[in-house]
Amino acid sequence: MLGITGLSPAVCVTDPVSCRLWSEPQMPGLSMNGDFIMGGIFSIHFTTSSEQNSYTRQPLQPQCSGRELRIARAMEFAIQEINNRTDLLPGITLGYQIHDSCSAVPMAVKVAFQFANGMEPFFNDTDSCSKSAVPALVGDSSSTSSISVATTLGLFGIPQVSHYATCACLSDKRQYPAFFRTVPSDHHQAAALAKLVKYFGWTWIGAVRSDTDYGNYGMASFLKAAQEEGICVEYSESYYRTQPRSKLERVANVIRRSTARVIVAFVNSGDMRFLLEELARQPPPPMQWIGSEAWIIEPEFLRFNMCAGAIGFGVPRSVIPGLREFLLDLSPAQALKSPLLTEFWESSFSCSLKGSSEGARECDGSEDIRALQNPYTDTSQLRITIMSYKATYAIAHAIHGVICNDTQCDKSAKFTPWQV
C-alpha cells in the first residue's frame, strides 16, 4: 500500500490553495490540444522492469519494452478525421492525451487518477478537489488494467471505452457503471470454444490459462460450458509471465506428460510466448491447440511448429481507409515531438535523433519508413486496431449529443463526464 499512496486524487490543506497533487503528473506519450480533450490509455509497451522498492522515496518510473504503437495511433487518426468532418462535432476541435500503461496496473491507475484530477498541480479553494481533465477515455488494452481503471474512474463518473478488455466480469454494471467496450465479452467466446471442441469430437482435453482476470474468468466460463457439452478436462493449469520460472517449467511438464492431445489455451500473447518457448526446449508429442483471441491471431506464433493447425476465434479483419498513409506520414522532425515516436524511430532505424540516444549513430535523413516491415506498418489485418478507432468515434458521437443541436455545437458548453 505504501508504494501507491502518491496516486491519491488530492490532499486538502487549510491555506488559500486548498488542494495539492501528491505526485508529479505523467506526461502523455502522444498529445494535442483542443476544445475538448479525449483521454487514451494503451498497453503500448507490454513488459516492465523496475528496481525493488525501498519505501523511503517515491518509486522510479518502470522501464518499458516491447511496442504496439499502431493501435494508439489509430485513435489519433480517428480524431484527425473527426476534426475534418462537418457532420460530427462541426466547429469543434478534439484534442487528446494518450498514455502508455505498459501493461502495468500501477501505471494505468496513476494515469486514471491524473485524468480525474487534471494536469494542474494546485487547485484554488473555490475549485473542486476533483476536476476531470477529460470527458471520457479510450482504453485500457488488458482486462486487469481496465478493471482497475474502471473501479477508479467509476467513482468520478468518467466513461471508459475499452478496445480490447474482454473479461466477462466487466459487464457487471453495478461494479463498473461507466465501463463500455467495442470488443465482445469473453462469455461468448468461451461458449463458442466449447462448441468448437465438441464439434470435432474432442472429449478429453487439457486447459491452460493466464493467471490474470482475463485468463481466470475466461477459463472458468469455458470449463462450465465444456461440462455442459460433456467434455472431460484432464488438467487446468495457470501461469503469468512474472511468476517464477519454476512455475512455467511445472506447467510445461504437465503438458508434456499428459495423455490429452488437445489443449485449450485461454492465454494472452505475452504468456503464450513464454510457454511455447519453454515447450520448444523439449517438444511434446504433436498436439492440437485451441486458442483464445489474444494469441490465435498473432502471426509471430507461426514460428513454433507445434502451433501448426491451431484454431480459435478472432476479431474479424477490417480496413480503415487512409490509416496506412497516416502512419507512414512520419518524419524525424515529427518523431522528435513525441517520446513514443522518437523511441519508435530510433529503434526501427538503429540511429539517434539529435543525440537523444548515447552511443548510436545520428539519423541522417536517409531513413525510409516505407521500407520498414514491422507491426507498425502492417495494416493488412486491422483487428484490434479498428476497435480503438470505433471507440474513439463512439465517444465523439456521445460528446456531439451533449453539446450540439441540429446545426451547430457550443464549444463553451459545460457538462459533466457522466452526461457523456
Side-chain angles (χ1 to χ4, degrees):
M1 292 299 295
L2 294 175
I4 62 171
T5 52
L7 302 180
S8 177
V11 57
C12 297
V13 293
T14 57
D15 58 28
V17 178
S18 58
C19 298
R20 174 178 57 84
L21 296 181
W22 281 3
S23 62
E24 291 296 320
Q26 179 176 315
M27 300 307 295
L30 300 166
S31 63
M32 186 182 80
N33 291 326
D35 300 316
F36 299 98
I37 305 298
M38 195 180 298
I41 307 178
F42 294 85
S43 298
I44 296 175
H45 297 88
F46 46 81
T47 57
T48 60
S49 60
S50 59
E51 65 175 21
Q52 188 71 25
N53 287 329
S54 65
Y55 300 105
T56 59
R57 54 173 173 75
Q58 288 191 358
L60 297 176
Q61 185 85 346
Q63 298 300 307
C64 304
S65 59
R67 187 184 304 104
E68 181 47 274
L69 185 58
R70 184 188 65 223
I71 295 174
R73 295 214 73 200
M75 177 180 171
E76 272 192 297
F77 174 69
I79 289 178
Q80 182 186 88
E81 278 191 340
I82 293 165
N83 287 339
N84 290 330
R85 289 178 58 161
T86 57
D87 60 332
L88 180 60
L89 293 171
I92 300 294
T93 299
L94 284 180
Y96 52 84
Q97 291 181 6
I98 298 176
H99 290 263
D100 179 14
S101 70
C102 223
S103 296
V105 169
M107 294 182 70
V109 172
K110 179 175 182 178
V111 173
F113 274 120
Q114 187 167 305
F115 282 144
N117 288 321
M119 293 286 284
E120 295 297 327
F122 296 102
F123 300 88
N124 295 323
D125 55 4
T126 57
D127 290 333
S128 165
C129 277
S130 178
K131 187 168 54 176
S132 173
V134 298
L137 66 95
V138 176
D140 193 354
S141 304
S142 73
S143 292
T144 299
S145 293
S146 290
I147 289 170
S148 300
V149 171
T151 302
T152 303
L153 296 182
L155 299 174
F156 302 99
I158 301 175
Q160 169 191 356
V161 184
S162 176
H163 57 287
Y164 206 17
T166 57
C167 181
C169 58
L170 285 162
S171 297
D172 187 345
K173 285 300 179 184
R174 290 176 298 177
Q175 291 193 61
Y176 312 108
F179 177 84
F180 305 90
R181 53 186 162 197
T182 53
V183 66
S185 161
D186 280 333
H187 173 76
H188 307 291
Q189 178 178 201
L193 287 173
K195 290 186 180 299
L196 179 67
V197 173
K198 180 64 178 294
Y199 175 81
F200 285 103
W202 297 321
T203 56
W204 182 242
I205 67 170
V208 292
R209 67 188 186 276
S210 291
D211 194 5
T212 62
D213 294 289
Y214 167 75
N216 292 329
Y217 277 97
M219 183 56 73
S221 295
F222 169 78
L223 292 177
K224 180 180 178 181
Q227 184 180 25
E228 294 172 353
E229 296 288 350
I231 298 167
C232 297
V233 180
E234 180 182 3
Y235 61 85
S236 180
E237 295 291 334
S238 65
Y239 171 73
Y240 187 65
R241 58 184 174 271
T242 60
Q243 292 174 346
R245 181 170 182 79
S246 58
K247 177 70 179 292
L248 174 62
E249 292 172 346
R250 191 186 72 79
V251 173
N253 286 330
V254 168
I255 294 173
R256 292 187 183 105
R257 296 168 184 166
S258 71
T259 58
R261 299 273 69 89
V262 177
I263 303 180
V264 175
F266 226 108
V267 183
N268 65 43
S269 59
D271 296 339
M272 195 65 185
R273 188 181 305 109
F274 278 97
L275 178 59
L276 291 175
E277 288 173 352
E278 176 61 28
L279 286 172
R281 294 160 61 92
Q282 291 180 297
M287 294 182 172
Q288 174 63 55
W289 289 89
I290 313 294
S292 61
E293 94 297 338
W295 71 271
I296 198 66
I297 62 175
E298 294 292 338
E300 68 163 303
F301 293 112
L302 294 175
R303 65 188 173 96
F304 296 98
N305 292 333
M306 69 185 79
C307 285
I311 58 176
F313 297 100
V315 177
R317 288 188 295 180
S318 302
V319 175
I320 304 178
L323 177 63
R324 178 173 172 78
E325 290 71 22
F326 172 82
L327 295 174
L328 296 179
D329 186 21
L330 182 65
S331 66
Q334 291 172 303
L336 274 172
K337 297 177 182 178
S338 161
L340 287 175
L341 295 179
T342 297
E343 177 200 10
F344 164 75
W345 191 275
E346 292 180 339
S347 62
S348 296
F349 297 108
S350 301
C351 64
S352 171
L353 287 171
K354 296 189 176 179
S356 56
S357 298
E358 296 181 4
R361 69 174 181 86
E362 188 167 338
C363 301
D364 57 13
S366 63
E367 301 81 26
D368 183 8
I369 193 171
R370 293 183 177 274
L372 290 178
Q373 293 184 350
N374 59 24
Y376 176 82
T377 59
D378 182 8
T379 57
S380 62
Q381 298 191 38
L382 300 179
R383 300 177 187 268
I384 306 307
T385 304
I386 198 166
M387 295 303 172
S388 167
Y389 179 81
K390 288 180 177 180
T392 307
Y393 264 92
I395 294 174
H397 280 284
I399 296 174
H400 182 98
V402 173
I403 67 170
C404 303
N405 55 31
D406 293 337
T407 58
Q408 61 184 5
C409 301
D410 181 7
K411 66 174 61 180
S412 63
K414 302 295 182 183
F415 60 93
T416 63
W418 190 251
Q419 291 176 266
V420 175

